[in-house]
């Protein structure tokens, strides 16, 4: 059989088997809204681990990290740093959110914000912003899936049909399976992914250079300084990496889907225990980078660096092996995409549609609307991917800058009794305005006082200052007492 | 205990973020990795160890 059919065939077997596994929990019992959206709040250690860890191995880790290593060099290593720090933040944050969610029946991040500040309007604002910034992250996953199908077909299927195929698969998957399906298939995805990236990440440098060290020596000889900061760029220097590490480690759990994922845990203890071990998982992100660096020496001059992983495998291995990698990669795009779509549609339904237009909708109606929104959200991300294509890492960083602006409002809101509603509005609006302004006027990274700061970081600092000052000015005893009452989960 | 937990929480951030200006070199290549990459990978283990101790302290408290 020819290579392209072999490769595509294997990918579809992967996707088919996973979809069946994902559908099983939904077929055994009739899922209500809570069961579909947050797994009925009964995930133990393992499912909780995989739903939290499942967000690490996305299309970005797989294709974007190798693409960045290929194009930029040293700055890529920031990816190794932020995950472990994010889990340190998560260790304190998630166990605090989870019991409040259980006690007050919260399902989404805007639910949480609305509850902390007792403000419907703030909840709606957070919902709108959350949906807007989830879209580029979702676009990233669909673009990744498109790249994989395109490469595995050896050019037989072009980008747009590839993404249309990807879109259909993902939307059907979420519609049928809900969060429990996402979690149980994340188990398959993570195991396959780890085997694939560790094998190829070590095999390729050994195959061409004899060892990982030799590969790096050769790269350093060919391009001196490429592996330190600012690597192959002019502006991604020490100050950029430091500010990006702050932004991404604080922003990690501000992604709206993580609130829902922490609501799905059976107990805060589950979340605490998993946070301890999650940092180690982060080491797996090193392997795609090794492939990107090897590719730079072996196949220089690629027009799309995000394709370096797939093209290296295509160069060295026959079609069936490319199919295995493609299958693993397809899952790495599909599972996180499903989680994102599920949450986007939940936020849209509960926090924009119901709060804004139809407050009396019962759970059955909400579930019906949420399932329709699944297709609308996916189609929107698909249009973005086709008409506004972007490098994977740019999509990731735009999303991060946006969602991290929630940090003062949510984290200080939970841990600092003087945080107020008015301060949240002001900080959030100023923060998001700055992010949008800096990003679209190409001021990211922001050159200031001889430093290159991540624009999202600069916006976060302004946001934080405004939030703290206005909170101090506007808090009074009455609202401190009322807020403490809302936040006590016992 | 509270002070110890605070320090343990701070260490991973100092290791991974504050140290960047001092570890931004390619050589020496340690365990096959450029020095900057090696340092950040080591930071993952540092975070794991620090969180493990914090977790031990927390579980001891909840039992006692």
């Amino acid at each position: 059989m020819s290579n392209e059919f072999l490769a595509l065939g294997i990918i579809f077997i992967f996707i088919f088997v996973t979809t069946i596994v994902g559908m099983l929990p939904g077929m055994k019992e009739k899922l209500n809204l809570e069961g579909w959206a947050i797994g009925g709040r009964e995930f133990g250690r393992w499912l909780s681990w995989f739903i939290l860890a499942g967000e690490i191995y996305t299309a970005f880790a797989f294709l974007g990290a190798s693409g960045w290593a290929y194009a930029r060099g040293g700055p890529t290593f920031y990816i190794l740093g932020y995950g472990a720090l994010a889990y340190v933040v998560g260790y304190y944050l998630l166990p605090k959110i989870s019991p409040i969610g259980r006690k007050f029946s919260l399902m989404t991040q805007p639910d949480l914000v609305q509850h902390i500040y007792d403000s419907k309007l703030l909840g709606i604002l957070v919902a709108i912003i959350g949906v807007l910034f989830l879209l580029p992250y979702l676009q990233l996953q669909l673009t990744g899936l498109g790249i994989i199908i395109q490469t595995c077909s050896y050019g037989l299927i072009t980008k747009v049909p590839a993404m249309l195929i990807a879109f259909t698969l993902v939307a059907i998957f979420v519609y049928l399976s809900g969060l429990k399906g996402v979690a149980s298939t994340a188990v398959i995805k993570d195991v396959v992914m780890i085997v694939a990236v560790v094998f190829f990440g070590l095999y390729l440098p050994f195959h061409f250079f004899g060892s990982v060290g030799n590969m790096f020596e050769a790269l350093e000889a060919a391009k001196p300084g490429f592996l330190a900061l600012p690597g192959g760029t002019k502006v991604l220097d020490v100050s950029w990496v430091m500010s990006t590490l702050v932004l991404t480690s604080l922003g990690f759990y501000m992604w709206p889907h993580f609130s829902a994922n922490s609501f799905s845990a059976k107990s805060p203890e589950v979340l605490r225990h998993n946070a301890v071990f999650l940092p180690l998982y982060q080491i797996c992100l090193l392997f795609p980078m090794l492939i990107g660096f090897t590719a730079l020496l072996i196949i220089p001059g690629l027009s799309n660096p995000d394709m370096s992983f797939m093209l290296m495998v295509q160069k060295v291995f026959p079609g069936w092996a490319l199919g295995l990698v493609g299958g693993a990669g397809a899952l790495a795009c599909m599972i996180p995409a499903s989680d994102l779509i599920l949450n986007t549609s939940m936020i849209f339904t509960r926090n924009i549609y119901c709060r804004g237009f139809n407050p009396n909708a019962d759970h059955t109606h909400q579930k019906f609307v949420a399932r329709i929104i699944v297709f609308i959200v996916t189609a929107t991300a698909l249009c973005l991917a086709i008409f506004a294509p972007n490098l994977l890492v740019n999509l990731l960083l735009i999303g991060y800058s946006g969602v991290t602006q929630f940090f003062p409002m949510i984290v200080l809101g939970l841990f600092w009794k003087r945080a107020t509603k008015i301060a949240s509005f002001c900080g959030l609006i100023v923060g998001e305005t700055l992010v949008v302004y800096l990003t679209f006027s190409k001021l990211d990274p922001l050159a200031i006082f001889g430093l290159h700061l991540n624009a999202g970081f600069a916006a976060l600092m302004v946001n934080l200052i405004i939030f703290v000052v206005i909170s101090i000015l506007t808090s009074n005893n009455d609202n401190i007492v009322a807020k403490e009452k809302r936040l006590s989960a016992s | 205990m509270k002070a110890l937990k605070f320090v343990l929480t701070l260490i991973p951030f100092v290791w991974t973020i504050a140290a960047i200006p001092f570890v931004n070199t390619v050589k020496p290549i340690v365990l096959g990795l450029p020095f900057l990459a090696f340092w950040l990978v080591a930071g993952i283990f540092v975070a794991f160890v620090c969180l493990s101790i914090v977790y031990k302290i927390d579980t001891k408290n909840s039992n006692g």
Side-chain angles (χ1 to χ4, degrees):
Chain A
M1 208 194 279
S2 59
N3 274 336
E4 56 268 34
F5 289 107
L6 209 53
L8 286 175
I10 292 174
I11 292 183
F12 283 104
I13 292 171
F14 262 88
I15 293 175
F16 183 72
V17 171
T18 311
T19 310
I20 301 289
V21 172
M23 278 162 56
L24 289 176
M27 284 160 71
K28 262 189 289 186
E29 52 194 312
K30 205 170 175 318
L31 290 174
N32 58 16
L33 182 71
E34 208 166 51
W36 186 70
I38 50 171
R41 299 184 207 276
E42 57 185 22
F43 286 5
R45 277 186 185 176
W46 284 105
L47 278 183
S48 178
W49 162 277
F50 279 106
I51 198 73
L52 293 175
E55 283 303 316
I56 299 171
Y57 255 125
T58 71
F60 173 70
F62 187 60
L63 300 171
S66 50
W68 242 49
Y70 185 96
R72 314 251 168 118
T76 313
F77 297 135
Y78 97 84
I79 297 167
L80 294 168
Y82 80 87
L85 299 181
Y87 296 122
V88 178
V89 176
Y91 180 89
Y92 293 96
L93 185 60
L94 300 193
K96 177 97 178 165
I97 294 177
S98 175
I100 299 175
R102 180 179 301 272
K103 188 174 176 198
F104 299 99
S105 304
L106 312 177
M107 291 195 205
T108 63
Q109 185 188 50
D111 282 359
L112 177 71
V113 173
Q114 173 171 355
H115 180 77
I116 296 174
Y117 293 102
D118 191 24
S119 164
K120 201 163 109 177
L121 193 61
L122 191 59
I124 294 177
L125 182 65
V126 168
I128 294 170
I129 294 171
V131 168
L132 287 180
F133 285 109
L134 277 168
L135 282 172
Y137 199 32
L138 185 57
Q139 177 190 352
L140 184 163
Q141 312 301 337
L142 289 176
T143 309
L145 194 46
I147 288 177
I148 289 170
I149 296 180
Q150 193 187 350
T151 326
C152 288
S153 73
Y154 293 80
L156 196 70
I157 301 175
T158 52
K159 194 179 118 189
V160 174
M163 283 194 291
L164 276 169
I165 297 172
F167 151 78
T168 318
L169 294 172
V170 171
I172 294 174
F173 182 77
V174 187
Y175 183 89
L176 293 171
S177 53
L179 192 69
K180 211 178 264 176
V182 175
S184 44
T185 50
V187 181
I188 306 177
K189 177 210 94 182
D190 281 12
V191 173
V192 179
M193 255 339 277
I194 290 176
V195 173
V197 294
V198 173
F199 175 76
F200 289 102
L202 293 176
Y203 182 87
L204 291 169
F206 271 83
H207 177 73
F208 288 104
F209 298 97
S211 78
V212 173
N214 287 351
M215 183 271 289
F216 279 123
E217 298 272 8
L219 192 54
E220 171 67 6
K223 293 178 163 249
F226 186 71
L227 296 164
L229 306 172
T233 72
K234 287 196 174 62
V235 290
L236 305 184
D237 54 11
V238 169
S239 51
W240 183 84
V241 167
M242 289 175 76
S243 61
T244 302
L245 281 169
V246 173
L247 179 85
T248 44
S249 57
L250 298 183
F252 192 84
Y253 282 112
M254 293 302 116
W255 284 100
H257 49 292
F258 275 116
S259 297
N261 293 349
S262 66
F263 292 147
S264 70
K266 197 169 64 183
S267 72
E269 162 62 24
V270 165
L271 294 164
R272 231 176 260 126
H273 177 266
N274 281 346
V276 174
F277 293 94
L278 281 165
L280 293 178
Y281 206 66
Q282 208 58 22
I283 294 167
C284 303
L285 289 176
L286 180 64
F287 297 97
M289 293 180 198
L290 299 181
I291 297 169
F293 288 126
T294 310
L296 180 59
L297 289 163
I298 304 296
I299 41 172
L302 286 183
S303 61
N304 184 353
D306 288 334
M307 294 180 91
S308 59
F309 193 130
M310 299 300 293
L311 290 177
M312 273 308 278
V313 177
Q314 197 186 62
K315 186 180 167 63
V316 179
F317 290 90
W320 60 267
L322 185 65
L324 292 178
V325 176
L331 298 186
C333 303
M334 266 179 80
I335 313 294
S338 312
D339 194 23
L340 293 170
I341 294 170
L342 181 73
N343 278 287
T344 314
S345 77
M346 273 302 287
I347 290 173
F348 203 93
T349 307
R350 268 174 83 82
N351 304 97
I352 301 177
Y353 171 74
C354 293
R355 302 276 194 276
F357 306 101
N358 188 357
N360 301 322
D362 62 4
H363 275 196
T364 321
H365 182 68
Q366 283 186 31
K367 195 181 157 198
F368 170 74
V369 176
R371 282 183 152 190
I372 293 174
I373 305 268
V374 164
F375 288 93
I376 298 174
V377 165
T378 321
T380 312
L382 185 70
C383 290
L384 283 172
I386 294 172
F387 298 112
N390 212 329
L391 270 191
L392 300 179
V393 72
N394 294 340
L395 295 173
L396 184 76
L397 287 172
I398 291 170
Y400 257 112
S401 303
V403 295
T404 307
Q405 306 309 320
F406 295 149
F407 187 85
M409 181 172 75
I410 294 181
V411 177
L412 292 186
L414 286 165
F415 290 97
W416 186 44
K417 61 182 180 184
R418 297 190 68 169
T420 68
K421 181 166 77 182
I422 301 161
S424 304
F425 272 114
C426 299
L428 184 62
I429 290 167
V430 172
E432 299 295 358
T433 310
L434 270 175
V435 166
V436 172
Y437 170 73
L438 293 173
T439 310
F440 287 100
S441 4
K442 307 259 178 262
L443 288 170
D444 182 21
L446 182 65
I448 185 168
F449 307 127
L451 301 170
H452 290 100
L453 297 181
N454 184 310
F457 172 82
L460 179 64
M461 289 304 120
V462 176
N463 175 350
L464 205 59
I465 293 167
I466 291 177
F467 182 87
V468 170
V469 171
I470 299 186
S471 282
I472 291 172
L473 293 176
T474 53
S475 70
N476 59 45
N477 273 338
D478 291 349
N479 58 39
I480 289 174
V481 172
K483 183 158 153 286
E484 276 187 339
K485 206 166 159 193
R486 285 197 299 279
L487 294 186
S488 81
S490 45
Chain B
M1 273 309 176
K2 224 173 175 176
L4 179 61
K5 261 174 78 176
F6 181 73
V7 171
L8 286 168
T9 309
L10 211 60
I11 289 173
F13 287 89
V14 173
W15 182 286
T16 303
I17 300 180
I20 296 272
F22 309 101
V23 297
N24 180 27
T25 68
V26 181
K27 304 261 173 164
I29 288 184
V30 186
L31 301 174
L33 296 175
F35 194 73
L36 177 63
F38 163 76
W39 183 265
L40 292 172
V41 170
I44 295 174
F45 288 96
V46 170
F48 168 67
V49 170
C50 289
L51 269 186
S52 305
I53 302 173
V54 171
Y55 182 72
K56 278 260 152 59
I57 297 173
D58 281 352
T59 349
K60 212 154 101 202
N61 286 350
S62 65
N63 290 346

